Amino acid sequence: MAEINRHWHQRHRSPRMQKWQHRVLDGIPHGGPLRLDRQNSFRGFQNDVQHAATETYLITQLALTLLRYLGIGSRWISKFLLLCLYSLFLMPGFIQVLFKYYVSKYIHRSIVYGMEPRNRLDLYMPPNCDDDSPKPVVIFVTGGAWIIGYKGWGALLGQQLAEHHIIVTCLDYRNFPQGSVSDMVADISTGIGYVCQNITNLGGDPNRVFLAGHSAGAHLAACALVKQAQKEVFEDAAKLSWRSHELKAFFAISGGYNLPNLVDHFHQRGLSRSIFLRVMEGEESLPLFSPELLVLSPAFQEAVPHLPSISLFHGTADCSIHHEASVAFGNALQSVGAKVTTILYAGKTHTDLLLQDPMQGGVDDLLADILAVIHKGDDEAKAEDFMVMKRRRRLVPEIFLQLAHRVCPF
């Protein structure tokens, strides 16, 4: 439950901005998870410290869980050392992003969206917004190999998009072993439904809601999207909390969509076959959670018109999930008549698109391509997007970015 102290900040915003911010936060249904904190600033500071400690404990647990399932061998010792170097080189950027994540009055953390453990989301509101017009909304699902996924991984993208007058929600969800793939998809579907149902209360435009995911998050979001489209055909649509065709577009970044083709690859990368199959609820369940195979099945044909336009993004130097995964999914979608675009980035790794490129400052390709879809047909917004991106400052020296690219273990 987020407690937000804004008494001091209200004196430093324009009257129009104050009106918009109050409309957004006070519009959330009474008794909901997001509320104004009427305590003093010291109480707010205490809450932030407690929240930071809780989040640090959770991240430590995730890391230890991952190590427990991967085992301790020479391969993983070397990968761990590379990860330490990689994190060290990007540390100047991480510190700046985390500082803003914890102190910004426009970021509201850990809003409850469901009844299950870790059903929380982070809300990123556009800063310095002087108009009351409804804003586009991006629902982002972070990755983490289905084991160490965490909503905080989307902090950099959330902050970036918010600078372009876009509301961003980053969903957290149960990871293995707390839950298996069906639990993860269910959590994400619940989170999407929560955002869609509260979209106007959040100041968002219900006609401009976008779904996005990265890596395992792209896979899980695709599963939720495809399964929801099927429900709209075979179940009572009036009972659904959201509808796939109401989404404006889906952005899938560096994901894998055919699980049977990924088992051996992940095993060679260190995620053992036995663990992967436990995450995915057994070998017989792999086709049931493979969006590429689902859209090709005869039973899905009636659901194809319910899909929004889909954009697949992938780096050609991605070793964690090869870019052929996005190409194959794009071909499958195209073969059944879905609206799809596949964009490949030459020489980009699994993390370049979301970390190294944004930390370089200026215009980065992925953000530009996402904004081009969100602001399609709005030439004024596109021109402003370009100017905002050009002004973005560098977070990490170039030499550190190059070194991080070389040692990246992903």
Side-chain angles (χ1 to χ4, degrees):
M1 185 173 292
E3 296 183 346
I4 304 165
N5 190 320
R6 298 199 293 284
H7 297 295
W8 184 88
H9 299 301
Q10 288 173 350
R11 300 197 302 269
H12 299 271
R13 291 179 296 176
S14 68
R16 297 189 71 185
M17 178 60 194
Q18 291 185 36
K19 178 182 176 183
W20 180 73
Q21 191 91 357
H22 276 299
R23 178 170 63 82
V24 169
L25 296 179
D26 295 341
I28 292 178
H30 180 70
L34 186 61
R35 71 173 188 266
L36 296 177
D37 184 6
R38 301 299 181 184
Q39 305 298 321
N40 56 36
S41 58
F42 179 72
R43 173 65 180 277
F45 175 75
Q46 284 183 313
N47 290 333
D48 282 342
V49 171
Q50 183 179 7
H51 182 82
T54 302
E55 303 288 89
T56 301
Y57 176 72
L58 173 60
I59 293 172
T60 303
Q61 278 190 314
L62 292 175
L64 292 176
T65 300
L66 180 63
L67 287 175
R68 177 160 58 93
Y69 282 108
L70 294 178
I72 305 298
S74 58
R75 175 190 297 179
W76 282 105
I77 291 175
S78 63
K79 283 185 177 293
F80 177 75
L81 293 175
L82 289 174
L83 177 61
C84 291
L85 284 174
Y86 175 80
S87 302
L88 181 63
F89 291 138
L90 297 183
M91 191 57 65
F94 288 150
I95 291 173
Q96 295 173 72
V97 172
L98 286 173
F99 179 79
K100 188 173 182 179
Y101 177 73
Y102 282 110
V103 305
S104 173
K105 62 181 180 289
Y106 300 105
I107 301 174
H108 311 296
R109 303 180 303 276
S110 295
I111 300 171
V112 178
Y113 69 76
M115 301 299 293
E116 299 296 338
R118 294 188 63 180
N119 280 187
R120 306 289 188 271
L121 63 83
D122 290 337
L123 174 66
Y124 297 78
M125 303 301 295
N128 305 319
C129 188
D130 293 328
D131 69 270
D132 290 335
S133 62
K135 306 295 183 292
V137 178
V138 172
I139 304 170
F140 183 57
V141 184
T142 60
W146 303 276
I147 297 175
I148 58 169
Y150 177 59
K151 59 186 173 60
W153 304 159
L156 181 54
L157 180 64
Q159 293 171 21
Q160 282 184 297
L161 290 173
E163 292 175 354
H164 295 267
H165 308 305
I166 297 168
I167 298 172
V168 182
T169 62
C170 289
L171 303 181
D172 207 2
Y173 54 91
R174 284 171 288 176
N175 282 205
F176 183 81
Q178 193 173 28
S180 57
V181 64
S182 60
D183 300 314
M184 301 176 205
V185 173
D187 286 352
I188 290 164
S189 186
T190 300
I192 296 171
Y194 175 87
V195 174
C196 290
Q197 290 174 348
N198 290 279
I199 206 64
T200 54
N201 297 325
L202 296 173
D205 185 348
N207 296 315
R208 290 188 292 168
V209 181
F210 302 84
L211 178 63
H214 174 251
S215 190
H219 162 257
L220 295 171
C223 285
L225 181 65
V226 169
K227 290 179 179 296
Q228 195 73 3
Q230 287 182 305
K231 291 179 181 179
E232 292 174 38
V233 174
F234 300 108
E235 298 181 16
D236 185 358
K239 296 181 179 180
L240 301 178
S241 61
W242 63 283
R243 301 181 183 182
S244 57
H245 69 272
E246 292 176 344
L247 299 176
K248 191 73 172 178
F250 172 43
F251 306 123
I253 308 164
S254 306
Y257 313 99
N258 188 323
L259 297 183
N261 288 349
L262 293 175
V263 177
D264 291 337
H265 171 70
F266 284 138
H267 184 76
Q268 293 171 1
R269 295 281 298 172
L271 182 58
S272 71
R273 179 188 302 271
S274 61
I275 295 300
F276 184 72
L277 291 179
R278 286 177 62 188
V279 173
M280 300 303 166
E281 302 176 1
E283 193 164 0
E284 65 281 359
S285 294
L286 296 181
L288 302 179
F289 293 96
S290 296
E292 179 184 328
L293 301 180
L294 289 174
V295 300
L296 290 173
S297 66
F300 189 77
Q301 298 312 301
E302 292 183 58
V304 172
H306 293 268
L307 292 175
S309 64
I310 297 174
S311 297
L312 304 173
F313 306 108
H314 220 124
T316 60
D318 191 333
C319 295
S320 295
I321 302 176
H322 294 310
H323 69 276
E324 287 84 1
S326 287
V327 173
F329 187 35
N331 291 338
L333 288 165
Q334 191 173 35
S335 70
V336 297
K339 296 170 289 185
V340 60
T341 302
T342 303
I343 299 177
L344 302 180
Y345 302 93
K348 299 298 182 180
T349 67
H350 197 65
T351 57
D352 278 339
L353 299 177
L354 281 188
L355 287 178
Q356 288 97 296
D357 286 359
M359 288 184 178
Q360 194 172 19
V363 179
D364 74 78
D365 293 336
L366 175 64
L367 182 62
D369 289 333
I370 290 176
L371 291 172
V373 176
I374 294 176
H375 290 147
K376 183 179 181 180
D378 189 339
D379 293 337
E380 183 178 347
K382 287 183 178 180
E384 184 179 352
D385 286 340
F386 182 74
M387 296 305 298
V388 171
M389 284 190 288
K390 281 190 66 176
R391 292 196 299 266
R392 282 180 52 237
R393 61 186 182 84
R394 177 184 291 274
L395 301 182
V396 177
E398 182 63 26
I399 182 63
F400 288 174
L401 290 174
Q402 294 298 326
L403 291 171
H405 180 85
R406 286 178 176 273
V407 303
C408 178
F410 304 109

PDB file of all heavy atoms in Angstrom, residues 75 83 133 148 162 241 246 319 323 350 357 365:
ATOM      1  N   ARG A  75      30.614 -22.781 -14.479  1.00  0.00           N
ATOM      2  CA  ARG A  75      29.928 -21.924 -15.447  1.00  0.00           C
ATOM      3  C   ARG A  75      29.232 -20.762 -14.747  1.00  0.00           C
ATOM      4  O   ARG A  75      29.327 -19.616 -15.171  1.00  0.00           O
ATOM      5  CB  ARG A  75      28.898 -22.739 -16.221  1.00  0.00           C
ATOM      6  CG  ARG A  75      28.050 -21.884 -17.179  1.00  0.00           C
ATOM      7  CD  ARG A  75      26.882 -22.664 -17.746  1.00  0.00           C
ATOM      8  NE  ARG A  75      27.319 -23.789 -18.545  1.00  0.00           N
ATOM      9  CZ  ARG A  75      26.473 -24.637 -19.139  1.00  0.00           C
ATOM     10  NH1 ARG A  75      25.176 -24.474 -18.997  1.00  0.00           N
ATOM     11  NH2 ARG A  75      26.937 -25.640 -19.854  1.00  0.00           N
ATOM     12  N   LEU A  83      28.522 -10.848 -14.153  1.00  0.00           N
ATOM     13  CA  LEU A  83      27.394 -10.027 -13.726  1.00  0.00           C
ATOM     14  C   LEU A  83      27.843  -8.932 -12.767  1.00  0.00           C
ATOM     15  O   LEU A  83      27.369  -7.784 -12.838  1.00  0.00           O
ATOM     16  CB  LEU A  83      26.332 -10.901 -13.064  1.00  0.00           C
ATOM     17  CG  LEU A  83      25.108 -10.172 -12.507  1.00  0.00           C
ATOM     18  CD1 LEU A  83      24.359  -9.447 -13.619  1.00  0.00           C
ATOM     19  CD2 LEU A  83      24.174 -11.152 -11.799  1.00  0.00           C
ATOM     20  N   SER A 133      -5.745  16.793 -20.369  1.00  0.00           N
ATOM     21  CA  SER A 133      -6.166  15.812 -21.360  1.00  0.00           C
ATOM     22  C   SER A 133      -5.772  14.403 -20.911  1.00  0.00           C
ATOM     23  O   SER A 133      -4.736  14.208 -20.276  1.00  0.00           O
ATOM     24  CB  SER A 133      -5.540  16.124 -22.716  1.00  0.00           C
ATOM     25  OG  SER A 133      -4.119  16.058 -22.629  1.00  0.00           O
ATOM     26  N   ILE A 148      13.298 -14.460 -11.283  1.00  0.00           N
ATOM     27  CA  ILE A 148      13.706 -13.234 -10.583  1.00  0.00           C
ATOM     28  C   ILE A 148      13.034 -12.007 -11.182  1.00  0.00           C
ATOM     29  O   ILE A 148      13.572 -10.904 -11.128  1.00  0.00           O
ATOM     30  CB  ILE A 148      15.242 -13.065 -10.593  1.00  0.00           C
ATOM     31  CG1 ILE A 148      15.776 -13.043 -12.038  1.00  0.00           C
ATOM     32  CG2 ILE A 148      15.914 -14.148  -9.769  1.00  0.00           C
ATOM     33  CD1 ILE A 148      17.243 -12.621 -12.121  1.00  0.00           C
ATOM     34  N   ALA A 162       7.388   8.351 -19.054  1.00  0.00           N
ATOM     35  CA  ALA A 162       6.659   9.393 -18.329  1.00  0.00           C
ATOM     36  C   ALA A 162       7.098  10.785 -18.777  1.00  0.00           C
ATOM     37  O   ALA A 162       6.296  11.730 -18.756  1.00  0.00           O
ATOM     38  CB  ALA A 162       6.870   9.223 -16.823  1.00  0.00           C
ATOM     39  N   SER A 241     -12.699  -8.845 -17.192  1.00  0.00           N
ATOM     40  CA  SER A 241     -12.261  -7.565 -16.629  1.00  0.00           C
ATOM     41  C   SER A 241     -11.560  -6.684 -17.666  1.00  0.00           C
ATOM     42  O   SER A 241     -11.405  -5.490 -17.460  1.00  0.00           O
ATOM     43  CB  SER A 241     -11.320  -7.805 -15.441  1.00  0.00           C
ATOM     44  OG  SER A 241     -10.155  -8.510 -15.854  1.00  0.00           O
ATOM     45  N   GLU A 246      -9.375  -4.128 -26.932  1.00  0.00           N
ATOM     46  CA  GLU A 246      -9.423  -2.760 -26.409  1.00  0.00           C
ATOM     47  C   GLU A 246      -8.028  -2.184 -26.221  1.00  0.00           C
ATOM     48  O   GLU A 246      -7.883  -0.969 -26.023  1.00  0.00           O
ATOM     49  CB  GLU A 246     -10.193  -2.732 -25.092  1.00  0.00           C
ATOM     50  CG  GLU A 246     -11.683  -3.031 -25.263  1.00  0.00           C
ATOM     51  CD  GLU A 246     -12.427  -3.107 -23.949  1.00  0.00           C
ATOM     52  OE1 GLU A 246     -11.776  -3.235 -22.894  1.00  0.00           O
ATOM     53  OE2 GLU A 246     -13.664  -3.044 -23.989  1.00  0.00           O
ATOM     54  N   CYS A 319      21.953 -13.306 -26.901  1.00  0.00           N
ATOM     55  CA  CYS A 319      22.307 -14.708 -26.647  1.00  0.00           C
ATOM     56  C   CYS A 319      21.331 -15.388 -25.696  1.00  0.00           C
ATOM     57  O   CYS A 319      21.238 -16.617 -25.685  1.00  0.00           O
ATOM     58  CB  CYS A 319      23.715 -14.791 -26.069  1.00  0.00           C
ATOM     59  SG  CYS A 319      25.015 -14.256 -27.200  1.00  0.00           S
ATOM     60  N   HIS A 323      17.154 -13.838 -31.706  1.00  0.00           N
ATOM     61  CA  HIS A 323      16.164 -13.006 -32.390  1.00  0.00           C
ATOM     62  C   HIS A 323      15.261 -13.807 -33.317  1.00  0.00           C
ATOM     63  O   HIS A 323      14.169 -13.353 -33.674  1.00  0.00           O
ATOM     64  CB  HIS A 323      16.865 -11.887 -33.173  1.00  0.00           C
ATOM     65  CG  HIS A 323      17.646 -12.367 -34.366  1.00  0.00           C
ATOM     66  ND1 HIS A 323      18.937 -12.834 -34.278  1.00  0.00           N
ATOM     67  CD2 HIS A 323      17.293 -12.462 -35.679  1.00  0.00           C
ATOM     68  CE1 HIS A 323      19.358 -13.177 -35.482  1.00  0.00           C
ATOM     69  NE2 HIS A 323      18.385 -12.964 -36.346  1.00  0.00           N
ATOM     70  N   HIS A 350      20.667  -8.687 -25.228  1.00  0.00           N
ATOM     71  CA  HIS A 350      19.418  -8.836 -24.484  1.00  0.00           C
ATOM     72  C   HIS A 350      19.132  -7.613 -23.612  1.00  0.00           C
ATOM     73  O   HIS A 350      17.960  -7.302 -23.345  1.00  0.00           O
ATOM     74  CB  HIS A 350      19.495 -10.095 -23.614  1.00  0.00           C
ATOM     75  CG  HIS A 350      18.172 -10.587 -23.128  1.00  0.00           C
ATOM     76  ND1 HIS A 350      17.186 -11.066 -23.970  1.00  0.00           N
ATOM     77  CD2 HIS A 350      17.661 -10.680 -21.864  1.00  0.00           C
ATOM     78  CE1 HIS A 350      16.132 -11.428 -23.263  1.00  0.00           C
ATOM     79  NE2 HIS A 350      16.384 -11.207 -21.989  1.00  0.00           N
ATOM     80  N   ASP A 357      21.487   1.309 -23.962  1.00  0.00           N
ATOM     81  CA  ASP A 357      21.110   2.361 -24.906  1.00  0.00           C
ATOM     82  C   ASP A 357      20.459   3.562 -24.218  1.00  0.00           C
ATOM     83  O   ASP A 357      20.843   4.709 -24.484  1.00  0.00           O
ATOM     84  CB  ASP A 357      20.195   1.800 -25.993  1.00  0.00           C
ATOM     85  CG  ASP A 357      20.955   0.939 -26.998  1.00  0.00           C
ATOM     86  OD1 ASP A 357      22.186   0.809 -26.858  1.00  0.00           O
ATOM     87  OD2 ASP A 357      20.320   0.399 -27.921  1.00  0.00           O
ATOM     88  N   ASP A 365      16.959   3.870 -30.233  1.00  0.00           N
ATOM     89  CA  ASP A 365      16.086   3.337 -31.273  1.00  0.00           C
ATOM     90  C   ASP A 365      14.810   2.722 -30.720  1.00  0.00           C
ATOM     91  O   ASP A 365      13.717   2.945 -31.256  1.00  0.00           O
ATOM     92  CB  ASP A 365      16.843   2.300 -32.114  1.00  0.00           C
ATOM     93  CG  ASP A 365      17.975   2.924 -32.926  1.00  0.00           C
ATOM     94  OD1 ASP A 365      17.882   4.138 -33.198  1.00  0.00           O
ATOM     95  OD2 ASP A 365      18.928   2.203 -33.271  1.00  0.00           O
TER      96      ASP A 365
END
